[in-house]
Amino acid sequence: MGTEIPTSPEISEALLLPEPNKTAATVTLDQDEHVPEWKEQITIRGLVVSALLGTLFCIITHKLNLTVGIIPSLNVAAGLLGFFFVKSWTGFLSKLGFTVKPFTKQENTVIQTCVVACYGLAFSGGFGSYLIAMDEKTYKLIGADYPGNHAEDVINPGLWWMIGFLFVVSFLGLFSLVPLRKVMVLDYKLTYPSGTATAMLINSFHTNTGAELAANQVKCLGKYLSLSLVWSCFKWFFSGVGDACGFDNFPTLGLTLFKNTFYFDFSPTYVGCGLICPHIVNCSVLLGAIISWGFLWPFVSQHAGDWYPADLGSNDFKGLYGYKVFIAIAIILGDGLYNLVKIIAVTVKELCSNSSRHLNLPVVTNVVDDEASEILLVKKKRDEVFLKDRIPLGFAVSGYVGLAAISTATIPLIFPPLKWYFVLCSYFIAPALAFCNSYGTGLTDWSLASTYGKIGLFIIASVVGSDGGVIAGLAACGVMMSIVSTAADLMQDFKTGYLTLSSAKSMFVSQLVGTAMGCIIAPLTFYLFWSAFDIGDPNGPYKAPYAVIFREMAILGIEGFAELPKHCLALCYGFFVAALIVNLLRDITPPKISQFIPIPMAMAVPFYIGAYFAIDMFVGTVILFVWERINRKDADDYAGAVASGLICGDGIWTIPSAILSILRINPPICMYFKPALAS
């Protein structure tokens, strides 16, 4: 799995309650609003749109996972595009004279939930990380003679076994925390920033006051989607055969910097990511690129022949490539472990303080004014709707136990080194980890599913040992990641549903349906990439950077660090400690200072991949920064729509380009650059 970047600012729930200047009529309207029954919130047209958008978002996620590994939260984009598709369809039918069922915010929320559940499996299903780390290409890339890298530890991607694996592991997370939905959303009042932002967007679409803005956002999205699609098509004509042609290899900053991967490659996807991701994330990525490709790798390269043999290939782990991979791993682990400990500590502290508050509540009768009573009425309405359609505790427990039994029996058939008792142990501790991840996501909007997965990877790989430890560790990583990731996604969507007056039962059912869609769509769309492109080629566009990193983690779990090049381990320790210190500084310094301290996880990505995508994302953040200075309201209203359009247009072009590649239809022109001849 790549690095999921939280993209929404922390939003307090109060923002969604009536503002002081709102009239009583506005609140009464909310009170009197008709809320459809949960079955009416799930419609055929909604499921069709969910399947279409789920396919598109899976393609986008695969493309990001296989190229740079940074995936922004697409919840808001899912809500916006769901509104766009259904409104366009109902408007078209109305013009033809048909009577159409009104499009409600509950239906919009169900679509968004379904889409997020579907594309979430493209993210947590391991198609850019643990699953592809098992394949023969990654095995050969690391080297057949590399200690711990055994030919027996190879399982190539197969459509049917991938679908089967996702079906047996992806639903457990949904059942693990269903009984705690009231605790997380109502009792602890967790924010879930992405879910809250999505609810704000959907609510604005379905009110008279927000109708004009919604229509303009939809037009904006359509405009930039079209521009991105046309531009991606135009770029294809110049991309030739091979990996050195086209705008993707344009030496915009000169040929010298181009050799160190510093160039702008005109990618709408990464520019769109820069528009969505917070400024500090984009700046952190660029800083990581400057530190690694601007200073560290040139410095290490000067010691070729001393620190490592000078005649090694560019992808040999005993050379410069080893420094790139293992230092990136050290930073990722340092950041992940710090945040894991921090979130567990915050969770325990919050739970204790909540218990204390409940035990020591004073009995006071407050006199509330009209404004406060209006807010309480809206909250009461939301609570009633959220609690109305209960999901029985027995259903959740029996569902989890039944699915765990099926999974425990099935997974060893797919991955023989991962014995049934390892799977069973994972399912015993998974609900506790899922709670920690969901609680942390509610506080920070940052899901640490990959960190929990890596912990499982190291533990199982080291226990199993050299005889199958690599496959067992990678498979255990997938089991753990799937549970904690889907549990956090479900709670995020429960929060969205709570704020849009959607039934909890419709949220749960749509999450189940979306997950089922994802179990089929995510492997199918991945197989499109696998069949059409050279996945895993370190010199190609689809490097699958996390495949090598995850396989190396599994090998480390069973072999240790003995074969690393000279001083690599010392550098890894240094960067691991640096990641801890930077995170600590972010937490102990005042907000006016900490907002400028970089994020180590974001800094780590370009260490291995290169600096080019950091340039693209920085261009996106500069555009947003200037836009905010010129017109802050416009930027707030339309930046998400512009970014979604850029990302989706480029994602849509992936389908025809893959088909052309499968049919062996090559671009007609190769545009490339070389130094000017000396006079």
Side-chain angles (χ1 to χ4, degrees):
M1 188 174 81
T3 303
E4 185 174 27
I5 300 296
T7 61
S8 303
E10 293 205 7
I11 301 169
S12 68
E13 188 176 322
L15 287 176
L16 286 106
L17 294 173
E19 297 169 7
N21 60 355
K22 287 193 175 181
T23 63
T26 307
V27 183
T28 305
L29 182 64
D30 190 40
Q31 285 293 300
D32 295 337
E33 178 184 347
H34 171 68
V35 178
E37 291 297 317
W38 74 269
K39 291 181 180 178
E40 296 174 6
Q41 297 174 19
I42 304 171
T43 63
I44 297 297
R45 70 185 180 193
L47 295 179
V48 171
V49 168
S50 299
L52 292 173
L53 289 179
T55 303
L56 172 61
F57 278 52
C58 279
I59 289 169
I60 292 168
T61 304
H62 287 319
K63 182 171 182 177
L64 290 170
N65 240 340
L66 295 171
T67 50
V68 298
I70 285 186
I71 301 169
S73 174
L74 299 172
N75 295 42
V76 172
L80 177 59
L81 280 168
F83 179 82
F84 168 68
F85 272 91
V86 177
K87 272 295 184 182
S88 300
W89 175 245
T90 54
F92 175 71
L93 290 180
S94 297
K95 288 180 180 178
L96 294 178
F98 291 96
T99 303
V100 293
K101 184 180 177 182
F103 182 43
T104 63
K105 61 184 179 184
Q106 288 81 11
E107 186 180 355
N108 203 160
T109 305
V110 163
I111 293 171
Q112 181 268 339
T113 300
C114 224
V115 172
V116 170
C118 183
Y119 94 79
L121 289 185
F123 180 62
S124 65
F127 298 102
S129 56
Y130 62 84
L131 282 188
I132 200 172
M134 302 177 185
D135 80 336
E136 188 174 5
K137 186 171 290 183
T138 307
Y139 158 73
K140 289 181 177 177
L141 188 61
I142 292 174
D145 59 341
Y146 193 85
N149 190 36
H150 305 305
E152 312 87 69
D153 293 327
V154 170
I155 299 177
N156 285 313
L159 187 60
W160 295 112
W161 76 254
M162 289 191 300
I163 291 175
F165 176 68
L166 288 183
F167 265 109
V168 297
V169 302
S170 299
F171 293 91
L172 279 103
L174 304 181
F175 287 90
S176 62
L177 293 187
V178 166
L180 298 180
R181 65 187 178 88
K182 177 180 177 294
V183 174
M184 306 286 260
V185 176
L186 297 185
D187 295 347
Y188 295 148
K189 296 180 174 62
L190 295 177
T191 306
Y192 291 101
S194 285
T196 300
T198 306
M200 291 175 67
L201 182 77
I202 292 173
N203 282 334
S204 72
F205 285 163
H206 297 273
T207 61
N208 293 329
T209 53
E212 184 179 351
L213 175 60
N216 290 335
Q217 286 176 324
V218 166
K219 288 177 184 176
C220 182
L221 184 145
K223 174 183 173 183
Y224 282 92
L225 186 151
S226 303
L227 286 173
S228 176
L229 180 60
V230 170
W231 171 247
S232 299
C233 177
F234 176 76
K235 283 203 306 178
W236 177 83
F237 282 93
F238 298 89
S239 56
V241 180
D243 302 313
C245 307
F247 286 92
D248 292 340
N249 296 278
F250 199 104
T252 40
L253 302 175
L255 288 168
T256 302
L257 286 174
F258 178 79
K259 290 177 183 176
N260 282 334
T261 71
F262 282 93
Y263 58 92
F264 177 61
D265 72 349
F266 299 91
S267 168
T269 295
Y270 304 146
V271 174
C273 287
L275 282 165
I276 291 181
C277 291
H279 294 305
I280 188 61
V281 170
N282 299 314
C283 293
S284 299
V285 171
L286 183 63
L287 179 61
I290 293 170
I291 290 172
S292 55
W293 292 90
F295 297 99
L296 185 59
W297 304 149
F299 171 76
V300 173
S301 299
Q302 291 173 3
H303 293 82
D306 178 15
W307 290 10
Y308 60 91
D311 57 347
L312 296 177
S314 60
N315 301 314
D316 195 313
F317 277 85
K318 295 176 183 176
L320 180 62
Y321 195 65
Y323 292 93
K324 294 177 183 178
V325 171
F326 287 103
I327 291 176
I329 291 173
I331 298 171
I332 290 168
L333 288 178
D335 186 283
L337 290 175
Y338 177 91
N339 281 288
L340 179 63
V341 172
K342 170 188 164 184
I343 285 177
I344 290 175
V346 169
T347 300
V348 172
K349 180 182 176 183
E350 287 290 323
L351 291 174
C352 292
S353 62
N354 267 296
S355 301
S356 174
R357 283 198 294 267
H358 285 302
L359 290 172
N360 300 294
L361 284 177
V363 180
V364 178
T365 305
N366 291 321
V367 178
V368 295
D369 58 16
D370 291 341
E371 183 183 300
S373 66
E374 291 163 7
I375 293 175
L376 290 173
L377 285 172
V378 174
K379 184 182 183 304
K380 182 182 177 184
K381 174 79 169 179
R382 286 177 176 152
D383 292 353
E384 286 176 356
V385 172
F386 188 69
L387 297 173
K388 177 185 173 186
D389 297 312
R390 295 184 180 277
I391 302 166
L393 175 62
F395 172 75
V397 173
S398 59
Y400 186 84
V401 171
L403 288 169
I406 295 170
S407 184
T408 302
T410 307
I411 289 178
L413 300 177
I414 303 173
F415 306 113
L418 186 63
K419 303 302 182 185
W420 66 268
Y421 40 85
F422 291 129
V423 181
L424 190 61
C425 289
S426 299
Y427 290 145
F428 272 117
I429 65 171
L433 299 180
F435 174 81
C436 291
N437 192 45
S438 298
Y439 198 100
T441 304
L443 293 172
T444 66
D445 209 29
W446 195 299
S447 174
L448 294 177
S450 61
T451 302
Y452 291 101
K454 287 164 195 160
I455 292 171
L457 185 156
F458 277 116
I459 293 173
I460 298 298
S462 60
V463 170
V464 175
S466 58
D467 187 15
V470 170
I471 293 295
L474 291 170
C477 172
V479 171
M480 194 60 66
M481 268 174 57
S482 295
I483 293 174
V484 299
S485 178
T486 52
D489 286 345
L490 177 64
M491 284 300 160
Q492 186 107 255
D493 289 326
F494 272 144
K495 181 70 174 185
T496 305
Y498 169 74
L499 296 170
T500 58
L501 296 178
S502 302
S503 165
K505 190 174 286 187
S506 71
M507 292 290 93
F508 182 68
V509 171
S510 59
Q511 191 87 15
L512 287 174
V513 173
T515 302
M517 287 180 180
C519 289
I520 298 170
I521 293 172
L524 283 172
T525 48
F526 170 76
Y527 222 70
L528 178 70
F529 281 88
W530 183 261
S531 304
F533 305 112
D534 190 10
I535 304 298
D537 179 4
N539 300 313
Y542 295 100
K543 298 176 176 65
Y546 280 90
V548 169
I549 287 176
F550 271 68
R551 190 174 184 93
E552 276 293 344
M553 286 181 184
I555 292 172
L556 279 180
I558 60 175
E559 291 290 325
F561 298 91
E563 295 298 315
L564 297 183
K566 195 174 181 181
H567 300 304
C568 182
L569 189 57
L571 287 169
C572 288
Y573 285 146
F575 278 95
F576 180 87
V577 173
L580 298 177
I581 293 172
V582 170
N583 272 304
L584 184 62
L585 288 174
R586 284 179 58 83
D587 285 338
I588 64 175
T589 53
K592 63 181 180 181
I593 297 174
S594 64
Q595 63 178 326
F596 298 109
I597 297 177
I599 300 170
M601 184 78 78
M603 291 177 65
V605 181
F607 270 69
Y608 172 63
I609 300 167
Y612 60 93
F613 80 96
I615 304 289
D616 292 5
M617 292 181 68
F618 189 71
V619 168
T621 212
V622 168
I623 292 170
L624 181 61
F625 181 80
V626 173
W627 193 358
E628 287 172 338
R629 292 299 172 273
I630 296 172
N631 190 328
R632 180 72 189 221
K633 186 178 185 309
D634 254 19
D636 291 343
D637 288 343
Y638 296 109
V642 172
S644 300
L646 291 174
I647 294 171
C648 292
D650 200 22
I652 290 171
W653 171 248
T654 304
I655 300 172
S657 69
I659 293 171
L660 290 170
S661 179
I662 291 169
L663 297 175
R664 301 293 183 261
I665 300 174
N666 297 316
I669 304 169
C670 175
M671 179 179 70
Y672 72 99
F673 300 84
K674 61 181 181 180
L677 296 175
S679 56

